[in-house]
Amino acid sequence: MFVVAQSLDDLVSLDPAEGFELSSLQAFTALYQRLVQPDRNQPSIVRPVLAANWTGGVRSLTFELRPGAIFSSGNPLRPEDVIFSLSRAVRLNRAPAFILNELGWTADNIDRHLLKLDDRRVQITWSKDLGAPVVLNILTAPVASIMDEKEALAHEAHADAGNGWLRSHSAGSGPFKMRRYIPREALVLDANVSSPGDAPLLKTLILKNVPDAATRRLLVEVGDADMARDLGPDQIDALGGTPQVKLLKFPSAVIHYLLLNTANRQNPALANPALWEASRWLIDYEGIADKLLRGQFQVHQAFLAAGSPGSLDETPYHLDVARAKAILERAGLGQGVRIRLSVFNQPPYGDIAQSIQATFAEGGIALDILPAEASEVYSQIRSRAEEAAWLYWVPDYFDANSTASAFALNLEDGTKTLAWRAGWQIPELSAESRAAALEPNAEARATRYRAIEASVQRSSPFVIALQARTVIVVRRPVTGYFQGLNADMAYYDRVSK
Amino acid sequence: MNERRFPAALIFGTAVVLLWAAVALAAPWVAPHDPTRQDIGNRLKPPSQDHLMGTDSLGRDTFSRLIYGARPTLGLVALVAALMAPMGLAIGIIAGISGGWVERSLMGATNLVLAFPPLVLALAFVGLLGPGLINAALALLLTGWPAYARLSRAETLILRRSDYIAAAEMQGITGFRLWWGHLLPSCLPSAQVRLALDLARIILAAAALGFLGLGIRPPTPEWGMMIAEGSRVVFDQWWVAAFPGAAICLVSLAFNLLADGLRDRADPRR
Amino acid sequence: MTLRVYPVRLMLRGLGTLTVTLTALVFVTFALSSLSPIDPALQLVGDHASGSSYAQARHELGLDVPWPRQFARYVIGLAHGDLGTSRSTGQAVREDLERLFPATFELATLAAIVAAFAGIALAVLSARRPNGPLDSLVRIISIVGNSIPVFWLGLIALLVFYARLRWTGGAGRLSDAFEYTIDMKTGLVLVDAWRSAEPGAFRDAAAHLVLPVLILAAYALGNVTRLTRAALLGEARKEYVLAARAKGASEARILWRHVMPNARGVILTVLALTYGNLLEGAVLIETVFARPGLGRYLTSALFAADMPAILGAILVIGTCFVTINGLTDLAVKLSDPRTS
């Protein structure tokens, strides 16, 4: 029995077509598989999983399914299961559906885009202007998990395609299957020995909800838990010398940034690029990364996380109050600038915000911190009501296009990208982002993205400051855990103790 | 009865309350450090000469934050006390004098509010409307006034028919002057005791709200929130949570002692 | 009024109060939610979701109608026993409450029993010699007990007794070895652990209950002791006690045969108040000790603006509160020989 102490409070649904919280996404990696999935060590390479191989056409891909693959229920994998899984995700239209909408799929046209060719092959087509590499990456997203159609429909109620039942049960082919789900308490998983990806080494995996970080640390220290996630830097320091535990550090694709809402009419200073530039010099990057949040973050100032293909790793900015003040003076903003900063009311955002408040104050800008619930902050941003916010970005699917089309795309057609939310007008940069999504050659794509990142780094109302590191504490005998760049890539199948 | 002890409770309680109010008001002069100044290199240090109560997770001086933290609590208490008791007393007196459907509906409302679990209601109020001093004060106020209404209505009903009031009315004293000058004073002794007790309870309730994250916004120090921040590191740096907790205990205790002392003074059997 | 009809009338009136109170509670909560800045649909679908997902979520959550209509819908659903679906656990609220209520009930009841016994015992001991040393000690304890924030006490106790001394169980209701192997039929962890016949399970459950129960009891003890003592002393001053003493009855006899029965009404009321307080204290204790229960459910629901869950939890707590008060009133009236 392997016990993981983490917070499960965010978990709402374990239906891959619906769940979009960190805890559910990580559970999907254990419970389900997709046609293709990123290689663990080189996530830019896509490996066949439930698909054995594929061939590409014009806006189409034909997959041949893996022979002998079966679900945890014993039912064999068929093209009907693929079609069912993908079309229901689009039709149910829940939180993660937008990822599949990127392919141009909607509830009306989805049936035309998924075709069963024969008992072993299924063809997928799409209408948007995207190259095959991007589409393959999209199909690695958890929302594209393949589930057992027969099992799901056997539990269907009120024509919900099994949604009600799948919220707390699993019907997949992943290394684990669900034994019990007690909301807000625990997720108990058993090994799925018939999994096409090989049976896991553990017999039972328990994800236990422990909302308090200090308690999580206590549990792993005394051995009541084998692994503890999301410990703050203080808890980790406190564990420092303990021989019974060890730290696992993995690079993560989560980036933290400051957003300045230039569309906010009430605070015209925000629309002034001088303010954006000054802000870049008023954050104590090293102080926050190294001293405040020791080891849990690294300084990174571009929108593609280090370790992803196409990332820009130069960090030209550092804390320079004098320079910032000079910039503000020149722009006539030397006095009386006041900004309201919205942040999430949990650690470490409060601490980060207070650090920024202090350094901005030195530069002559007064920051009023407004901590609020995550949904309230997002609500403000959607309606463009906030002045500034400290946010984090997690790519929705593992492809540069996901992030680029948020930070560097503003089409003025109403598509609500991050750039739109910040009121940043960028017709040329948007065109470049769209071209990059079509580029078939990987090297060339990476170069294009680096150029786009440089633009964002130097002239946008986003101040990208930190990249997270996933730090996990395990008991000493534990081996085999791996965490990929993207938040959902939590691999428990090789874990043993 | 031991005469000596009661003045002791009263004196001690009053002294602490006054000291607390004084410290809160004089915070800028009393606190050794700026409560919001961060010193990240110096975080979570144990009590020392420079930092009498150690530093918190951002390197801020706990002692200074404690002193400044007295202010929101003082503000909240003052706000609630100033509004809750007068509001409740007034409603009760009006009900007692008017009688008829006015009395019935006011008392109905009173009983209804009394039937709600107060902390839960305060939680719902603040939870739904958002954190902050005003919302918290409002929540505590709205769940606290019924006790005073009941109290003053009972007194009013008794006095309404008494000779004392009849005599006053014969002298031409009616309406507002009547109940300001005659009815209200008879309610005051029990109201005072009740208020002191309520203030103790309110301090604890406000701390609870702060602990749950529904209190005042940072970086303003507030005791409940300081305990919440400290609970993250309590297993190693116990002082961050311990000192604000002790402060809450002390002030709450002072109000309880005050209430005890006042009650004993008001006890007609002495 | 004959004895048979009176309690029936009282009960009917009590039911009426209950209904009115609960309706008012629900109404107020709906009204408050209309002022809430949190957008539950956004909370549900997240920031990146498409506009149509968001609109669909709003519709499914019933948020696209004005709040009075939402209130009406909810009340109608209530009449059918449907409490809606929690937005943050994805489960039916009714199932959540059925699962969690026994846990809070267990905690509050055990704490109430401890507080009642200890409180009454202390009150009796101190009332025998008013202003004696024991009495002073008890008074100090009860005042101090009223002044400590219960969540802070819980935190310190967890630190000392679990983290440092390892005397008691820690967070949660059971260690993991038992947590997922015991079938929680009744939801009361002590009962289920006992019935499961797993070796060590009952001890484990008890070890995890010790701290929360004692702390909650300590929280309530202050009030119970103080008010019971006041009631006892109040009775002790009455003339019939003086008469009994003059006739030569022993203190013990006076206490048990005369004073306590007459103080019964006040004591019952005190206990009812305490139970109500304990329900609230459980909210904070459950958070500190990471125990599942209504309290934690409510606070999580508040942070998530999960209206069905908030309403469900408030209804259950409110019902308990009002029922306890009502039953106590009934018991007091019935047991008072002067009212029949």
mmCIF file of all heavy atoms in Angstrom, chain B residues 32-62:
data_model
loop_
_atom_site.group_PDB
_atom_site.id
_atom_site.type_symbol
_atom_site.label_atom_id
_atom_site.label_comp_id
_atom_site.label_asym_id
_atom_site.label_seq_id
_atom_site.Cartn_x
_atom_site.Cartn_y
_atom_site.Cartn_z
ATOM 1 N N PRO B 32 8.525 48.290 18.123
ATOM 2 C CA PRO B 32 9.940 48.546 17.814
ATOM 3 C C PRO B 32 10.269 48.528 16.322
ATOM 4 O O PRO B 32 11.211 49.147 15.893
ATOM 5 C CB PRO B 32 10.679 47.419 18.545
ATOM 6 C CG PRO B 32 9.660 46.369 18.759
ATOM 7 C CD PRO B 32 8.334 47.026 18.869
ATOM 8 N N HIS B 33 9.466 47.778 15.532
ATOM 9 C CA HIS B 33 9.770 47.693 14.102
ATOM 10 C C HIS B 33 8.538 48.012 13.277
ATOM 11 O O HIS B 33 7.430 48.036 13.779
ATOM 12 C CB HIS B 33 10.233 46.275 13.731
ATOM 13 C CG HIS B 33 11.513 45.846 14.375
ATOM 14 N ND1 HIS B 33 12.748 46.069 13.824
ATOM 15 C CD2 HIS B 33 11.724 45.204 15.541
ATOM 16 C CE1 HIS B 33 13.666 45.564 14.617
ATOM 17 N NE2 HIS B 33 13.076 45.034 15.659
ATOM 18 N N ASP B 34 8.748 48.198 11.995
ATOM 19 C CA ASP B 34 7.642 48.365 11.061
ATOM 20 C C ASP B 34 7.004 46.986 10.836
ATOM 21 O O ASP B 34 7.695 46.063 10.435
ATOM 22 C CB ASP B 34 8.200 48.926 9.742
ATOM 23 C CG ASP B 34 7.117 49.077 8.683
ATOM 24 O OD1 ASP B 34 5.983 48.604 8.876
ATOM 25 O OD2 ASP B 34 7.409 49.690 7.646
ATOM 26 N N PRO B 35 5.718 46.847 11.108
ATOM 27 C CA PRO B 35 5.113 45.512 11.044
ATOM 28 C C PRO B 35 5.020 44.949 9.635
ATOM 29 O O PRO B 35 4.819 43.756 9.464
ATOM 30 C CB PRO B 35 3.701 45.735 11.608
ATOM 31 C CG PRO B 35 3.422 47.152 11.319
ATOM 32 C CD PRO B 35 4.725 47.868 11.463
ATOM 33 N N THR B 36 5.160 45.786 8.624
ATOM 34 C CA THR B 36 5.054 45.251 7.275
ATOM 35 C C THR B 36 6.393 45.133 6.571
ATOM 36 O O THR B 36 6.464 44.713 5.425
ATOM 37 C CB THR B 36 4.136 46.133 6.405
ATOM 38 O OG1 THR B 36 4.699 47.449 6.373
ATOM 39 C CG2 THR B 36 2.740 46.173 6.966
ATOM 40 N N ARG B 37 7.452 45.510 7.259
ATOM 41 C CA ARG B 37 8.746 45.476 6.595
ATOM 42 C C ARG B 37 9.271 44.045 6.542
ATOM 43 O O ARG B 37 9.422 43.387 7.551
ATOM 44 C CB ARG B 37 9.750 46.356 7.323
ATOM 45 C CG ARG B 37 10.731 46.980 6.325
ATOM 46 C CD ARG B 37 11.869 47.702 6.999
ATOM 47 N NE ARG B 37 13.117 47.032 6.661
ATOM 48 C CZ ARG B 37 13.821 46.307 7.500
ATOM 49 N NH1 ARG B 37 13.418 46.149 8.731
ATOM 50 N NH2 ARG B 37 14.927 45.726 7.104
ATOM 51 N N GLN B 38 9.554 43.601 5.328
ATOM 52 C CA GLN B 38 9.992 42.226 5.186
ATOM 53 C C GLN B 38 11.512 42.147 5.192
ATOM 54 O O GLN B 38 12.199 43.058 4.740
ATOM 55 C CB GLN B 38 9.510 41.661 3.863
ATOM 56 C CG GLN B 38 8.021 41.667 3.745
ATOM 57 C CD GLN B 38 7.600 41.458 2.339
ATOM 58 O OE1 GLN B 38 8.369 40.959 1.534
ATOM 59 N NE2 GLN B 38 6.384 41.842 2.033
ATOM 60 N N ASP B 39 11.986 41.039 5.674
ATOM 61 C CA ASP B 39 13.431 40.824 5.677
ATOM 62 C C ASP B 39 13.625 39.341 5.415
ATOM 63 O O ASP B 39 13.817 38.541 6.327
ATOM 64 C CB ASP B 39 13.990 41.223 7.048
ATOM 65 C CG ASP B 39 15.503 41.085 7.093
ATOM 66 O OD1 ASP B 39 16.092 40.740 6.043
ATOM 67 O OD2 ASP B 39 16.072 41.311 8.159
ATOM 68 N N ILE B 40 13.543 39.011 4.150
ATOM 69 C CA ILE B 40 13.440 37.588 3.829
ATOM 70 C C ILE B 40 14.640 36.784 4.289
ATOM 71 O O ILE B 40 14.538 35.590 4.557
ATOM 72 C CB ILE B 40 13.196 37.443 2.313
ATOM 73 C CG1 ILE B 40 11.848 38.097 2.039
ATOM 74 C CG2 ILE B 40 13.141 36.001 1.895
ATOM 75 C CD1 ILE B 40 11.348 37.909 0.660
ATOM 76 N N GLY B 41 15.780 37.446 4.430
ATOM 77 C CA GLY B 41 16.928 36.690 4.906
ATOM 78 C C GLY B 41 16.809 36.315 6.367
ATOM 79 O O GLY B 41 17.509 35.451 6.883
ATOM 80 N N ASN B 42 15.877 36.964 7.059
ATOM 81 C CA ASN B 42 15.795 36.811 8.498
ATOM 82 C C ASN B 42 14.519 36.093 8.927
ATOM 83 O O ASN B 42 14.016 36.302 10.019
ATOM 84 C CB ASN B 42 15.806 38.217 9.112
ATOM 85 C CG ASN B 42 16.458 38.218 10.472
ATOM 86 O OD1 ASN B 42 17.080 37.250 10.856
ATOM 87 N ND2 ASN B 42 16.280 39.321 11.189
ATOM 88 N N ARG B 43 13.964 35.237 8.040
ATOM 89 C CA ARG B 43 12.652 34.725 8.348
ATOM 90 C C ARG B 43 12.657 33.602 9.370
ATOM 91 O O ARG B 43 13.625 32.864 9.501
ATOM 92 C CB ARG B 43 11.973 34.250 7.068
ATOM 93 C CG ARG B 43 12.858 33.437 6.187
ATOM 94 C CD ARG B 43 12.332 33.469 4.760
ATOM 95 N NE ARG B 43 10.985 32.995 4.680
ATOM 96 C CZ ARG B 43 10.688 31.715 4.599
ATOM 97 N NH1 ARG B 43 11.626 30.820 4.566
ATOM 98 N NH2 ARG B 43 9.423 31.340 4.549
ATOM 99 N N LEU B 44 11.560 33.474 10.068
ATOM 100 C CA LEU B 44 11.325 32.376 11.007
ATOM 101 C C LEU B 44 12.443 32.228 12.023
ATOM 102 O O LEU B 44 12.870 31.123 12.343
ATOM 103 C CB LEU B 44 11.140 31.068 10.229
ATOM 104 C CG LEU B 44 9.891 31.091 9.346
ATOM 105 C CD1 LEU B 44 9.842 29.854 8.486
ATOM 106 C CD2 LEU B 44 8.645 31.170 10.193
ATOM 107 N N LYS B 45 12.928 33.346 12.528
ATOM 108 C CA LYS B 45 13.947 33.264 13.568
ATOM 109 C C LYS B 45 13.266 33.205 14.931
ATOM 110 O O LYS B 45 12.249 33.837 15.157
ATOM 111 C CB LYS B 45 14.845 34.514 13.511
ATOM 112 C CG LYS B 45 15.745 34.561 12.296
ATOM 113 C CD LYS B 45 16.938 33.654 12.501
ATOM 114 C CE LYS B 45 17.986 33.733 11.409
ATOM 115 N NZ LYS B 45 17.556 33.358 10.108
ATOM 116 N N PRO B 46 13.819 32.460 15.861
ATOM 117 C CA PRO B 46 13.230 32.371 17.205
ATOM 118 C C PRO B 46 13.386 33.684 17.955
ATOM 119 O O PRO B 46 14.147 34.551 17.530
ATOM 120 C CB PRO B 46 14.036 31.263 17.866
ATOM 121 C CG PRO B 46 15.284 31.154 17.096
ATOM 122 C CD PRO B 46 14.993 31.606 15.706
ATOM 123 N N PRO B 47 12.674 33.820 19.094
ATOM 124 C CA PRO B 47 12.756 35.063 19.866
ATOM 125 C C PRO B 47 14.191 35.417 20.217
ATOM 126 O O PRO B 47 14.978 34.558 20.589
ATOM 127 C CB PRO B 47 11.944 34.747 21.122
ATOM 128 C CG PRO B 47 10.996 33.690 20.711
ATOM 129 C CD PRO B 47 11.687 32.893 19.663
ATOM 130 N N SER B 48 14.474 36.693 20.083
ATOM 131 C CA SER B 48 15.842 37.130 20.386
ATOM 132 C C SER B 48 15.746 38.532 20.945
ATOM 133 O O SER B 48 14.652 39.069 21.107
ATOM 134 C CB SER B 48 16.689 37.123 19.121
ATOM 135 O OG SER B 48 16.151 38.076 18.220
ATOM 136 N N GLN B 49 16.891 39.138 21.179
ATOM 137 C CA GLN B 49 16.859 40.476 21.751
ATOM 138 C C GLN B 49 16.266 41.490 20.785
ATOM 139 O O GLN B 49 15.517 42.375 21.164
ATOM 140 C CB GLN B 49 18.280 40.916 22.105
ATOM 141 C CG GLN B 49 18.442 41.120 23.578
ATOM 142 C CD GLN B 49 19.712 41.815 23.922
ATOM 143 O OE1 GLN B 49 20.619 41.922 23.097
ATOM 144 N NE2 GLN B 49 19.792 42.295 25.132
ATOM 145 N N ASP B 50 16.629 41.345 19.536
ATOM 146 C CA ASP B 50 16.146 42.315 18.560
ATOM 147 C C ASP B 50 14.683 42.071 18.213
ATOM 148 O O ASP B 50 13.917 43.004 17.991
ATOM 149 C CB ASP B 50 17.009 42.219 17.291
ATOM 150 C CG ASP B 50 16.785 43.404 16.393
ATOM 151 O OD1 ASP B 50 16.449 44.475 16.919
ATOM 152 O OD2 ASP B 50 16.922 43.247 15.164
ATOM 153 N N HIS B 51 14.329 40.795 18.159
ATOM 154 C CA HIS B 51 12.941 40.442 17.840
ATOM 155 C C HIS B 51 12.408 39.641 19.010
ATOM 156 O O HIS B 51 12.585 38.435 19.089
ATOM 157 C CB HIS B 51 12.887 39.601 16.557
ATOM 158 C CG HIS B 51 13.345 40.339 15.343
ATOM 159 N ND1 HIS B 51 12.546 41.265 14.696
ATOM 160 C CD2 HIS B 51 14.510 40.313 14.661
ATOM 161 C CE1 HIS B 51 13.205 41.757 13.670
ATOM 162 N NE2 HIS B 51 14.400 41.212 13.623
ATOM 163 N N LEU B 52 11.714 40.364 19.899
ATOM 164 C CA LEU B 52 11.285 39.758 21.157
ATOM 165 C C LEU B 52 10.423 38.529 20.977
ATOM 166 O O LEU B 52 10.405 37.664 21.835
ATOM 167 C CB LEU B 52 10.525 40.791 22.000
ATOM 168 C CG LEU B 52 11.417 41.841 22.626
ATOM 169 C CD1 LEU B 52 10.565 42.896 23.304
ATOM 170 C CD2 LEU B 52 12.359 41.196 23.623
ATOM 171 N N MET B 53 9.704 38.475 19.867
ATOM 172 C CA MET B 53 8.869 37.295 19.659
ATOM 173 C C MET B 53 9.234 36.587 18.369
ATOM 174 O O MET B 53 8.423 35.875 17.797
ATOM 175 C CB MET B 53 7.398 37.716 19.646
ATOM 176 C CG MET B 53 6.906 38.184 20.993
ATOM 177 S SD MET B 53 5.169 38.589 20.901
ATOM 178 C CE MET B 53 4.872 39.110 22.571
ATOM 179 N N GLY B 54 10.418 36.801 17.896
ATOM 180 C CA GLY B 54 10.835 36.119 16.688
ATOM 181 C C GLY B 54 10.296 36.776 15.427
ATOM 182 O O GLY B 54 9.662 37.823 15.468
ATOM 183 N N THR B 55 10.549 36.152 14.294
ATOM 184 C CA THR B 55 10.068 36.698 13.026
ATOM 185 C C THR B 55 9.174 35.671 12.326
ATOM 186 O O THR B 55 9.259 34.486 12.590
ATOM 187 C CB THR B 55 11.236 37.034 12.087
ATOM 188 O OG1 THR B 55 12.013 35.843 11.891
ATOM 189 C CG2 THR B 55 12.091 38.126 12.642
ATOM 190 N N ASP B 56 8.355 36.179 11.431
ATOM 191 C CA ASP B 56 7.423 35.277 10.745
ATOM 192 C C ASP B 56 7.996 34.848 9.400
ATOM 193 O O ASP B 56 9.179 35.043 9.133
ATOM 194 C CB ASP B 56 6.049 35.942 10.604
ATOM 195 C CG ASP B 56 6.031 37.056 9.581
ATOM 196 O OD1 ASP B 56 7.102 37.430 9.048
ATOM 197 O OD2 ASP B 56 4.945 37.592 9.315
ATOM 198 N N SER B 57 7.134 34.273 8.558
ATOM 199 C CA SER B 57 7.658 33.648 7.343
ATOM 200 C C SER B 57 8.167 34.650 6.318
ATOM 201 O O SER B 57 8.778 34.278 5.334
ATOM 202 C CB SER B 57 6.588 32.771 6.709
ATOM 203 O OG SER B 57 5.481 33.565 6.384
ATOM 204 N N LEU B 58 7.904 35.944 6.525
ATOM 205 C CA LEU B 58 8.455 36.936 5.612
ATOM 206 C C LEU B 58 9.501 37.791 6.306
ATOM 207 O O LEU B 58 9.898 38.833 5.801
ATOM 208 C CB LEU B 58 7.344 37.846 5.064
ATOM 209 C CG LEU B 58 6.508 37.214 3.964
ATOM 210 C CD1 LEU B 58 5.340 38.111 3.607
ATOM 211 C CD2 LEU B 58 7.337 36.976 2.717
ATOM 212 N N GLY B 59 9.923 37.347 7.491
ATOM 213 C CA GLY B 59 10.935 38.098 8.195
ATOM 214 C C GLY B 59 10.428 39.307 8.939
ATOM 215 O O GLY B 59 11.194 40.153 9.363
ATOM 216 N N ARG B 60 9.090 39.392 9.086
ATOM 217 C CA ARG B 60 8.544 40.547 9.792
ATOM 218 C C ARG B 60 8.565 40.299 11.295
ATOM 219 O O ARG B 60 8.419 39.165 11.737
ATOM 220 C CB ARG B 60 7.117 40.805 9.318
ATOM 221 C CG ARG B 60 7.067 41.153 7.843
ATOM 222 C CD ARG B 60 5.673 41.315 7.358
ATOM 223 N NE ARG B 60 4.935 40.075 7.398
ATOM 224 C CZ ARG B 60 3.867 39.816 6.651
ATOM 225 N NH1 ARG B 60 3.437 40.744 5.814
ATOM 226 N NH2 ARG B 60 3.219 38.676 6.753
ATOM 227 N N ASP B 61 8.725 41.359 12.065
ATOM 228 C CA ASP B 61 8.831 41.221 13.513
ATOM 229 C C ASP B 61 7.473 40.860 14.123
ATOM 230 O O ASP B 61 6.513 41.615 14.014
ATOM 231 C CB ASP B 61 9.350 42.534 14.109
ATOM 232 C CG ASP B 61 9.467 42.460 15.623
ATOM 233 O OD1 ASP B 61 9.807 41.376 16.133
ATOM 234 O OD2 ASP B 61 9.208 43.480 16.277
ATOM 235 N N THR B 62 7.415 39.706 14.774
ATOM 236 C CA THR B 62 6.141 39.248 15.333
ATOM 237 C C THR B 62 5.624 40.174 16.422
ATOM 238 O O THR B 62 4.428 40.429 16.519
ATOM 239 C CB THR B 62 6.291 37.826 15.902
ATOM 240 O OG1 THR B 62 6.851 37.000 14.884
ATOM 241 C CG2 THR B 62 4.966 37.255 16.321
#
